[in-house]
Amino acid sequence: AQEVVVVAPNVGISARHHSWGRFQAGAWKTVRVVTETIGDNGVVASANVTETKTRLKRTDPDGVVLEVQVGVEVAGKQFDAQPQNLKQGYHGELAGGDVKIKAPCPGQVTVEDRKIDCQMQQVEIVTPASRTVANVFYSDHVSPYILRRQSTTTDPATASVLSETVSEVIALNMPQRVLADTKTVACVKTVQKTARGSVTTLAMTSAEVPGGVVYQTTKETDTAGRLVRRSTLELVNYGARPEEERTGLFGRKRPPRRKTKA
């Protein structure tokens, strides 16, 4: 059996493979998500709109720290929540769990009948509520760098499976309109299965945009295959450098900051 080791920051998956880790502090993006809940008759029962602004606060040897602010539109009125800081590891894990990483080994993935030699690294994240084991296939040269991620989450107490997720690149070098430009993107398909049903996501990702995703569609079905929820995500704006003028969500301008004396 392969020995479990903690890999040094410059070995295996690191900042250069992460959709935020490749950017400098201050990089940001704002996305708008429209979510519809589907009733038993197949008709939209309710809908809501959220805007989320994410800013890269810093990169650490083991991950990134993001500032996330969510705004919600309810009955024509907009409400902004207070920004929250989120620590995310370069393997996609959130801070707070016990993380063990195996040394990388050679791997291979197939995208559009093209075999791509890459590396595979296994990561295990254990929290009081769950144990997740993920095999992550990554490349130093082929964007979006994380080419496939297959994970299983179990209950530590019972060893029963809580969820199974497969995320994989299914198309490369696709054209996608991003604001005023057309960029080359990759299409990533993610399927998560739980006891409640499944969630399928198709995302267009660009290495030029902080956070990667520029457009995304998601559908959620129950155990009988009935559509219960669907959503679309669109990029509102982004910047690879700190923004000069801070604006609120839903296009509102923030009041200017007061200058303080030194």
Side-chain angles (χ1 to χ4, degrees):
Q2 192 174 20
E3 182 183 1
V4 174
V5 297
V6 176
V7 179
N10 62 344
V11 177
I13 296 173
S14 64
R16 67 187 185 278
H17 305 104
H18 193 272
S19 60
W20 282 98
R22 296 188 297 273
F23 293 88
Q24 65 174 345
W28 61 277
K29 74 185 298 185
T30 301
V31 299
R32 180 183 288 114
V33 178
V34 178
T35 302
E36 297 175 322
T37 300
I38 312 300
D40 293 336
N41 56 0
V43 177
V44 175
S46 63
N48 65 72
V49 180
T50 62
E51 280 198 3
T52 301
K53 184 170 186 177
T54 306
R55 182 174 68 90
L56 176 62
K57 295 194 71 174
R58 69 175 189 270
T59 56
D60 293 337
D62 59 344
V64 298
V65 177
L66 304 172
E67 180 187 81
V68 181
Q69 183 181 24
V70 179
V72 181
E73 182 179 295
V74 179
K77 296 182 179 180
Q78 293 86 36
F79 303 91
D80 292 352
Q82 289 297 314
Q84 302 290 326
N85 288 339
L86 176 70
K87 178 68 178 285
Q88 186 182 79
Y90 293 130
H91 296 80
E93 73 277 11
L94 297 178
D98 178 22
V99 180
K100 296 180 180 179
I101 304 169
K102 290 186 178 181
C105 61
Q108 189 179 79
V109 299
T110 301
V111 181
E112 298 178 298
D113 297 325
R114 171 188 171 189
K115 295 185 183 300
I116 301 174
D117 291 327
C118 57
Q119 296 288 307
M120 190 277 284
Q121 196 161 36
Q122 187 178 91
V123 57
E124 178 185 18
I125 306 110
V126 179
T127 71
S130 65
R131 173 181 179 267
T132 299
V133 177
N135 292 327
V136 185
F137 294 79
Y138 66 97
S139 168
D140 291 338
H141 310 291
V142 180
S143 175
Y145 309 110
I146 303 297
L147 303 179
R148 179 181 173 88
R149 177 185 171 95
Q150 185 170 0
S151 64
T152 300
T153 300
T154 55
D155 184 328
T158 64
S160 59
V161 175
L162 301 176
S163 68
E164 294 179 307
T165 305
V166 176
S167 180
E168 58 186 343
V169 175
I170 60 173
L172 296 168
N173 301 318
M174 298 291 291
Q176 174 71 37
R177 193 71 174 171
V178 180
L179 303 182
D181 302 318
T182 298
K183 295 187 180 297
T184 299
V185 303
C187 182
V188 181
K189 180 181 180 180
T190 302
V191 178
Q192 181 186 49
K193 296 180 179 180
T194 69
R196 298 187 302 273
S198 66
V199 179
T200 301
T201 300
L202 291 177
M204 295 296 191
T205 68
S206 169
E208 300 178 47
V209 176
V213 176
V214 297
Y215 182 78
Q216 179 173 288
T217 58
T218 300
K219 70 173 183 178
E220 180 179 344
T221 57
D222 61 18
T223 53
R226 184 182 70 86
L227 180 66
V228 296
R229 192 172 290 106
R230 64 189 182 190
S231 66
T232 57
L233 176 153
E234 293 182 332
L235 181 68
V236 175
N237 208 349
Y238 74 97
R241 295 184 297 273
E243 59 182 331
E244 295 180 357
E245 181 182 21
R246 293 176 62 84
T247 58
L249 299 173
F250 293 97
R252 300 191 306 283
K253 294 290 183 67
R254 291 190 189 280
R257 290 179 173 177
R258 293 182 179 179
K259 294 184 178 179
T260 58
K261 296 182 179 180

